[in-house]
Amino acid sequence: MEIKSVGIVGAGQMGNGIAHVMALAGYDVRLNDISQDALDSAFALIGKNLDRQVSRDKISAEERDAAMGRIKTTLSLADVAQTDLVIEAATEREEIKHKIFEALLPDLKPETILTSNTSSISITRLASRTDRPEKFMGFHFMNPVPLMQLVELIRGIATDKDTYDACLAVVGKLNKTAASAEDFPAFIVNRILIPMINEACYTLYEGVGNVQSIDMAMKLGANHPMGPLELADFIGLDTCLAIMNVLHDGLADTKYRPCPLLTKYVEAGWLGRKTQRGFYDYRGETPVPTR
């Protein structure tokens, strides 16, 4: 099956990035959200990010204009359901994802492939509540989508080869690289990355080092481009906690127990960059550690 149109559910940080790269690669894109303000903001941000690529000679002005012309925003899930490939990029809460797929089902074309950009939730379980588990898989982009080269492709227990091959071809057309992952909690990247962040939280919680020393140690000692606590703020502390809970619940191993300090920050609403406070305070000219 040749995929020509892509529907994206969720116009947040991940959804607008996916729309950006899909439109630039030549796909007709329908971007959906429950809020018109969110759609307007996403469309404006995509334009701004494409302008930045033009200014850096990554793309031409003609390519930018063509990409913007391929993106249509909609409040209707029925519009999204009529595309060849649907990518769900809503918040990392399983019950919300189930509701989205259930709402899509009545209007889907028989050949439409369903995918989720989930970073940790079982693909098999999400697929089981649809009418096409064989045409369902995980399509996990990294953030920020336009810059990051990797896409995790996750097959559920029922995903067929044609579905995998069709999604693999899309990744190739995006000039990105696919990593195939089995359907276990958090897949590959977050199975390794988020427990590292959680361990950094424990290192802070136990007073081994402060925020600044922990991040500096990993940047200069392990050559990481960002420290783990700085990265946690970038990802969102609520997302980090959600993934740790998926690992803890799904694998029943105490080594995945979320750090109490991470839980406390999330309870305080200090979720990182998106709320202006996390392990750093972003309300001034330069980020200041909060601990």
Side-chain angles (χ1 to χ4, degrees):
M1 175 188 173
E2 184 184 0
I3 291 170
K4 295 181 179 177
S5 59
V6 178
I8 300 161
V9 182
Q13 193 173 40
M14 296 304 294
N16 76 66
I18 296 168
H20 174 143
V21 298
M22 288 292 182
L24 202 52
Y27 294 103
D28 291 323
V29 174
R30 294 178 195 171
L31 180 61
N32 164 268
D33 203 280
I34 58 174
S35 159
Q36 187 61 51
D37 286 344
L39 289 172
D40 293 343
S41 295
F43 191 76
L45 183 58
I46 292 167
K48 181 179 176 182
N49 289 336
L50 286 167
D51 285 341
R52 185 181 295 115
Q53 287 181 295
V54 172
S55 70
R56 294 176 180 174
D57 294 324
K58 301 289 187 184
I59 62 172
S60 67
E62 291 75 19
E63 287 173 314
R64 173 201 60 200
D65 293 343
M68 292 299 287
R70 294 186 190 106
I71 300 171
K72 301 289 185 289
T73 62
T74 178
L75 294 168
S76 169
L77 279 176
D79 290 341
V80 173
Q82 288 300 299
T83 59
D84 301 326
L85 168 68
V86 174
I87 302 173
E88 172 272 314
T91 187
E92 193 70 353
R93 288 171 56 191
E94 187 168 344
E95 65 273 17
I96 290 176
K97 295 181 186 296
H98 282 307
K99 286 178 182 176
I100 288 168
F101 288 119
E102 286 167 5
L104 284 165
L105 292 181
D107 299 297
L108 291 174
K109 299 188 296 182
E111 67 273 19
T112 296
I113 292 173
L114 291 177
T115 68
S116 176
N117 182 58
T118 179
S119 54
S120 61
I121 296 168
S122 168
I123 298 303
T124 298
R125 201 160 58 234
L126 290 174
S128 71
R129 299 268 289 269
T130 73
D131 64 352
R132 59 195 68 205
E134 72 287 346
K135 288 186 173 295
F136 193 112
M137 68 181 299
F139 208 140
H140 180 215
F141 288 84
M142 305 296 123
N143 185 34
V145 179
L147 298 180
M148 300 295 279
Q149 289 300 302
L150 186 75
V151 179
E152 281 184 312
L153 293 181
I154 306 103
R155 279 175 279 207
I157 197 169
T159 307
D160 64 25
K161 185 176 185 300
D162 288 345
T163 298
Y164 175 82
D165 288 345
C167 290
L168 185 63
V170 172
V171 175
K173 195 170 176 182
L174 297 176
N175 291 318
K176 294 187 183 294
T177 301
S180 295
E182 294 303 315
D183 185 24
F184 289 97
F187 320 129
I188 296 172
V189 173
N190 285 326
R191 171 76 175 264
I192 298 166
L193 175 65
I194 303 301
M196 183 198 76
I197 288 173
N198 193 55
E199 195 62 29
C201 295
Y202 269 113
T203 307
L204 179 64
Y205 176 60
E206 293 167 6
V208 180
N210 60 26
V211 169
Q212 196 166 25
S213 61
I214 290 167
D215 278 350
M216 186 186 302
M218 294 307 292
K219 283 193 283 189
L220 302 183
N223 207 27
H224 289 190
M226 295 173 74
L229 301 175
E230 181 185 7
L231 180 57
D233 277 357
F234 180 75
I235 294 168
L237 303 194
D238 53 337
T239 300
C240 293
L241 180 60
I243 295 169
M244 283 308 302
N245 282 324
V246 166
L247 283 165
H248 193 235
D249 295 344
L251 298 171
D253 192 324
T254 55
K255 74 178 181 180
Y256 297 115
R257 184 172 68 97
C259 177
L261 183 62
L262 176 61
T263 301
K264 190 64 66 180
Y265 269 71
V266 172
E267 287 175 345
W270 291 19
L271 308 181
R273 285 183 176 272
K274 61 187 173 186
T275 59
Q276 295 295 296
R277 276 193 293 188
F279 291 113
Y280 292 85
D281 189 326
Y282 300 92
R283 293 174 296 176
E285 288 187 14
T286 56
V288 178
T290 55
R291 203 173 184 87

